[in-house]
DNA sequence: AGACGTAAATTTACACTGTAAAAATAACTT
DNA sequence: AAGTTATTTTTACAGTGTAAATTTACGTCT
């Protein structure tokens, strides 16, 4: 049995070390900087040290994305998000606080959505959304209400990350915040 | 004066030829396949033939994205989109009909948003949205209504492209379409 | 028409990248 | 203590983007 404490591998827990450095690079220099060789170089190991743990670059990025979905699930959990409104707020706030990671989580050409760890992580996060008591309006199926809500929240997150909402907010006469736009979706 | 008819360059109009092959590759094999060498190879020219026209890969992809924004503007023009609702429908339908191109248009790490051609093209498209008569609800600034509308439409487009809306639609008891979700946003 | 200047395209070269295969190293098990 | 296994490095190779120099062809001008 390998002790999961600290130094079960040669150089400590390289798996987590690689994910940590990759995440730092991600939020510092963007997704384009996530080259396998650059990650291992910054972690102080050889170029191919990640292979036994993640297989290839896609595997590493998928694991990183899974970590993101886990954190998002945590932020949207009933403990942290009492009212439905809080779930939407958590979603958008997570995206804005971790723009690189959030973007990676939905970049299906850089990650493998079928990767087991990633798939279960994302499903759990999406389940938090599906569990929302869809404030059903007149004559709208719960699925439609669900999709509409998710689309609006996700759209706000994506547009905000791309800096496309900033001009609108700046131009607004009333003091406008993204939080207000989110809250508006839950009413 | 060079005749802008057809063969003003050595091998015909290489600029457009490269954009055409790149676009075919984009919708066939996704953004990840848009390597500069692969594009020029498929176009039947040498590996560096794109440089005089586009500078580098980012320049070529930016030109391609600009082309996408132009087509999107066209689809959202008053001639094709009479009512506000039609603008939203045009937006989402364009995204679903050209998933690769639409994705590229918002991938700010693969394109240069400050590229003159791209900047003017995207601004024109966004202006079509800003020109919408924001069905102002009670006590909401027009900018907020604008942002909410755009976010919902954009969110629907992005989620649909990623295949994340399909399960919801399939699970819906009532026959649910994306068009219905868009129309719901304009009411 | 013929020579020139200029733009377009190719050739060449180099520093990167991802990853497969073989070799070496250190850990754990018995 | 010896052997087995998992981890890491070394080595190698095909592919990438792009800068620089060279070749090619077009347009222009006397």
């Amino acid at each position: 049995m390998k002790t999961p404490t600290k130094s079960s591998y040669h150089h400590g827990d390289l798996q987590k070390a690689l994910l940590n450095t990759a995440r730092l690079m991600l939020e510092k220099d963007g997704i384009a900087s996530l080259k396998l060789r650059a990650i291992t170089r910054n972690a102080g190991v050889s170029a191919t040290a990640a292979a036994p743990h993640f297989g290839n670059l896609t595997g590493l990025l998928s694991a990183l994305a899974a970590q993101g979905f886990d954190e998002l699930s945590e932020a949207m959990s009933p403990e942290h998000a009492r009212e439905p409104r809080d779930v939407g707020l958590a979603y958008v706030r997570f995206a804005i606080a971790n723009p690189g990671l959030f973007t990676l989580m939905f970049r299906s050409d850089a990650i493998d959505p079928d990767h087991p760890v990633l798939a279960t992580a994302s499903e759990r996060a999406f389940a938090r959304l599906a569990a929302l008591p869809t404030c059903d309006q007149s004559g709208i199926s719960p699925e439609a209400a669900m999709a509409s809500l998710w689309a609006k929240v996700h759209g706000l997150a994506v547009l905000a990350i791309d800096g496309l909402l900033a001009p609108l907010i700046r131009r607004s006469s009333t003091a406008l915040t993204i939080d207000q736009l989110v809250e508006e979706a839950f009413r």
Side-chain angles (χ1 to χ4, degrees), chain A:
Chain A
M1 267 299 180
K2 62 181 176 186
T3 75
T5 55
K6 192 178 65 112
S7 62
S8 32
Y9 307 109
H10 282 184
H11 294 72
D13 201 338
L14 184 55
Q15 183 140 358
K16 276 181 186 157
L18 288 173
L19 289 176
N20 288 341
T21 58
R23 179 150 184 188
L24 286 176
M25 295 170 61
L26 175 57
E27 297 303 350
K28 185 160 184 284
D29 298 318
I31 288 187
S33 71
L34 288 185
K35 320 270 187 192
L36 190 47
R37 284 179 114 103
I39 297 169
T40 52
R41 195 185 311 136
N42 285 359
V45 293
S46 73
T48 62
H53 301 281
F54 302 101
N56 52 18
L57 175 60
T58 301
L60 198 160
L61 298 188
S62 299
L64 192 55
Q67 186 174 295
F69 276 113
D70 283 340
E71 294 180 18
L72 178 57
S73 295
E74 174 77 13
M76 294 191 301
S77 72
E79 304 141 20
H80 297 96
R82 303 288 173 91
E83 307 174 27
R85 193 193 80 205
D86 297 332
V87 175
L89 282 173
Y91 194 98
V92 172
R93 283 174 179 165
F94 174 85
I96 294 178
N98 313 280
L101 185 55
F102 184 84
T103 303
L104 178 67
M105 288 157 58
F106 291 91
R107 204 159 269 198
S108 50
D109 62 328
I111 64 180
D112 175 19
D114 297 332
H115 186 296
V117 179
L118 173 56
T120 62
S122 64
E123 280 164 17
R124 188 153 62 105
F126 296 157
R128 293 248 193 264
L129 292 170
L132 280 177
T134 54
C135 43
D136 34 15
Q137 317 226 56
S138 57
I140 302 179
S141 75
E143 286 85 4
M146 179 65 249
S148 293
L149 207 55
W150 187 13
K152 185 163 176 184
V153 171
H154 190 76
L156 285 173
V158 168
L159 292 180
I161 287 178
D162 279 4
L164 294 171
L165 247 44
L168 277 176
I169 289 180
R170 204 174 303 122
R171 196 178 309 142
S172 174
S173 52
T174 76
L176 184 59
T177 67
I178 295 185
D179 278 10
Q180 289 176 6
L181 292 172
V182 175
E183 289 174 2
E184 191 184 310
F186 288 82
R187 188 180 339 134

